[in-house]
Amino acid sequence: MSKNRKTVSFAVLGLLALLSPFIAAWLVDILGLQSKILFPILTTVLLGIFGLAHIHGLNEHYKILEKQSATISNITHLNEELERHNLLKESMLGISNSILDIKDFDEFLHSVIKTAVHLIDNADAGSILIMNDQNRLEFKAAEGYDLKGLSKINMVVEETFLYQYTLGNYSKPCIIEDPLKFNQRFLNKENYSKFEDAEALSLKATISAPILIGGELYGMINVDNSKCEDAFTFRDTEIMEYLANQLSIAIKNVQLLEKTLFLSRYDGLTRVYNRHYFDELFESIYKRAKRYDENFCLCVIDLNDLKIINDMHGHQAGDLALKTFSSTMLENIRESDIIGRYGGDEFVIIFLNTTSESGHEKLQQISQFLKERPLSIDNKEVQITFSYGIACFPEEASDSKELFRTADVRMYKHKLHQKTI
């Protein structure tokens, strides 16, 4: 029966219930019955029938109301889920877009952990740890904690929630209830004390997700709750896994960018500036010196007998000589000085705010240092020696080209002088 037909039927029954005394009187009269008891009995029977029908109608009505209420509840839940999904989508889109234009990596990490705490309903704090060169985890971003306090802490991976909870199989996120027990059991005393100082031990639940690069553990992202042990659900771990994957993509992009930037500026063998980037720096320094009446010295260096080393011992020996020379130079000049590889065996240095005499003194010290530490190649000692020429701006040259020519000519004179000794 359709809803409209049921409504009409219940309306008719209700009307008949109201008319039941009159119907009873009419039946008594039409049947010719004169009993005084029969009328109220018949009326009662009719009212009971109509009452039962009305109760049945009310039950149907309540069922309809319950269905409508459930439908409204489902619609409300779906709207909430849709709103949550849209928020998740917008947040992830924001992270994805920021990956393409990372300028400050620490700031990016903070935006990720802030998003994680915002997206996961019961999260009230969070942190990101990154593995350092000593294979220890350091806090690089935090939300709801004092990062300054956390940054004093570094841990081995065996001290972490993720490692202990998964018995070392940290490929997926996991939920840790009552993490304080883990901290008391697995943190060393020094780190436990530092966590106390940073007020970062009052946790009831944590989700910890690994950040994996090429299958290797690079770091971890955690979100925490300080009030309830069952604060997090499996769905929350899915969000954390997505965030961890986004972090992995971002880190790969940063590494690729750093590698690309390094290759665009540095010589791959000697790790000093390549010719192209050195020329850019030189032009900038020259223009600044000219504008603000500053002075600097340009030094042109040529390694002696590199071809002989290559011919006698092979190119690997020649490469070793180049790397040894460049590393020695980097260790002995100031951080403000600039060194570049200009050709196969030719290097250039800019000594900022110095004199020609200071430059000569420094290069003589380096030359003596190398003579005292010859290379051992094929059980033979191989000396690394070099010739150089220095020219200073503005007293010895009026422009950049003349400065280069003067330094180059002096380098060749020095080389000839060494050969005649």
Side-chain angles (χ1 to χ4, degrees), residues 17-234:
L18 292 172
L19 297 174
S20 60
F22 302 100
I23 295 171
W26 176 69
L27 288 173
V28 169
D29 184 58
I30 200 170
L31 295 172
L33 301 174
Q34 300 298 324
S35 173
K36 293 181 180 179
I37 298 174
L38 189 59
F39 175 75
I41 290 173
L42 190 57
T43 302
T44 302
V45 171
L46 288 169
L47 283 172
I49 293 170
F50 297 140
L52 289 171
H54 186 63
I55 289 170
H56 178 72
L58 286 174
N59 286 336
E60 289 293 325
H61 181 65
Y62 287 138
K63 287 180 182 178
I64 293 170
L65 287 177
E66 285 178 4
K67 288 181 179 179
Q68 289 176 340
S69 177
T71 301
I72 292 170
S73 178
N74 287 334
I75 292 172
T76 303
H77 178 70
L78 287 172
N79 285 335
E80 289 174 353
E81 287 294 306
L82 183 61
E83 186 176 342
R84 180 182 171 88
H85 176 75
N86 287 336
L87 179 61
L88 178 62
K89 188 177 178 181
E90 288 175 7
S91 299
M92 296 309 178
L93 183 62
I95 290 174
S96 298
N97 288 338
S98 62
I99 287 174
L100 301 174
D101 187 29
I102 298 173
K103 295 178 181 176
D104 186 324
F105 192 64
D106 288 342
E107 192 175 310
F108 169 75
L109 293 178
H110 182 257
S111 72
V112 172
I113 195 59
K114 187 176 181 180
T115 298
V117 173
H118 179 63
L119 283 177
I120 296 176
D121 289 336
N122 293 318
D124 51 32
S127 59
I128 294 175
L129 299 95
I130 301 296
M131 197 78 76
N132 65 18
D133 294 337
Q134 288 76 45
N135 287 325
R136 298 181 71 89
L137 289 157
E138 296 179 336
F139 287 90
K140 292 296 184 181
E143 179 71 7
Y145 296 116
D146 176 21
L147 182 59
K148 188 176 181 181
L150 290 178
S151 63
K152 298 175 183 177
I153 304 166
N154 62 76
M155 302 182 291
V156 294
V157 68
E158 289 79 10
E159 291 182 272
T160 63
F161 300 140
L162 190 61
Y163 182 91
Q164 293 299 334
Y165 196 82
T166 63
L167 301 177
N169 184 25
Y170 39 74
S171 59
K172 293 284 185 180
C174 64
I175 298 174
I176 300 98
E177 296 178 354
D178 198 7
L180 181 58
K181 291 181 181 178
F182 280 85
N183 287 328
Q184 290 171 335
R185 184 176 177 184
F186 297 110
L187 281 178
N188 66 50
K189 291 182 179 179
E190 183 181 354
N191 278 339
Y192 190 89
S193 177
K194 289 178 179 179
F195 271 108
E196 279 187 319
D197 294 340
E199 299 180 351
L201 285 177
S202 58
L203 308 179
K204 294 293 184 181
T206 291
I207 302 177
S208 186
I211 304 168
L212 302 171
I213 305 292
E216 297 292 326
L217 184 67
Y218 184 88
M220 298 176 187
I221 175 170
N222 302 328
V223 292
D224 307 317
N225 178 278
S226 58
K227 299 171 185 174
C228 181
E229 289 187 9
D230 58 353
F232 302 124
T233 65
F234 175 75

Side-chain angles (χ1 to χ4, degrees), residues 118-354:
H118 179 63
L119 283 177
I120 296 176
D121 289 336
N122 293 318
D124 51 32
S127 59
I128 294 175
L129 299 95
I130 301 296
M131 197 78 76
N132 65 18
D133 294 337
Q134 288 76 45
N135 287 325
R136 298 181 71 89
L137 289 157
E138 296 179 336
F139 287 90
K140 292 296 184 181
E143 179 71 7
Y145 296 116
D146 176 21
L147 182 59
K148 188 176 181 181
L150 290 178
S151 63
K152 298 175 183 177
I153 304 166
N154 62 76
M155 302 182 291
V156 294
V157 68
E158 289 79 10
E159 291 182 272
T160 63
F161 300 140
L162 190 61
Y163 182 91
Q164 293 299 334
Y165 196 82
T166 63
L167 301 177
N169 184 25
Y170 39 74
S171 59
K172 293 284 185 180
C174 64
I175 298 174
I176 300 98
E177 296 178 354
D178 198 7
L180 181 58
K181 291 181 181 178
F182 280 85
N183 287 328
Q184 290 171 335
R185 184 176 177 184
F186 297 110
L187 281 178
N188 66 50
K189 291 182 179 179
E190 183 181 354
N191 278 339
Y192 190 89
S193 177
K194 289 178 179 179
F195 271 108
E196 279 187 319
D197 294 340
E199 299 180 351
L201 285 177
S202 58
L203 308 179
K204 294 293 184 181
T206 291
I207 302 177
S208 186
I211 304 168
L212 302 171
I213 305 292
E216 297 292 326
L217 184 67
Y218 184 88
M220 298 176 187
I221 175 170
N222 302 328
V223 292
D224 307 317
N225 178 278
S226 58
K227 299 171 185 174
C228 181
E229 289 187 9
D230 58 353
F232 302 124
T233 65
F234 175 75
R235 183 179 178 185
D236 296 327
T237 65
E238 291 179 326
I239 296 174
M240 287 291 287
E241 185 173 9
Y242 181 89
L243 286 168
N245 288 336
Q246 291 297 298
L247 264 176
S248 296
I249 294 169
I251 291 164
K252 286 177 184 176
N253 284 350
V254 169
Q255 289 176 337
L256 180 62
L257 180 62
E258 287 178 346
K259 185 177 180 180
T260 303
L261 187 62
F262 180 87
L263 292 175
S264 70
R265 293 183 175 182
Y266 291 87
D267 175 62
L269 178 66
T270 60
R271 305 286 173 169
V272 299
Y273 291 127
N274 59 33
R275 178 169 182 165
H276 175 75
Y277 191 62
F278 181 89
D279 281 342
E280 286 186 16
L281 293 174
F282 175 75
E283 188 65 22
S284 175
I285 290 168
Y286 168 72
K287 287 180 178 178
R288 178 181 174 84
K290 193 173 182 180
R291 181 180 301 171
Y292 297 106
D293 196 24
E294 296 176 347
N295 69 296
F296 68 92
C297 293
L298 176 70
C299 177
V300 175
I301 298 174
D302 190 80
L303 262 63
N304 298 328
D305 302 323
L306 182 63
K307 186 177 184 304
I308 294 174
I309 295 174
N310 284 328
D311 291 343
M312 291 184 64
H313 305 285
H315 286 279
Q316 287 186 341
D319 288 347
L320 178 60
L322 287 165
K323 287 191 288 186
T324 302
F325 170 77
S326 60
S327 62
T328 302
M329 294 297 295
L330 288 170
E331 290 168 4
N332 287 277
I333 62 175
R334 300 171 302 176
E335 287 187 12
S336 59
D337 298 329
I338 298 166
I339 179 171
R341 186 181 181 190
Y342 223 62
D345 55 3
E346 189 175 20
F347 292 80
V348 280
I349 302 176
I350 297 173
F351 292 116
L352 295 172
N353 299 314
T354 191

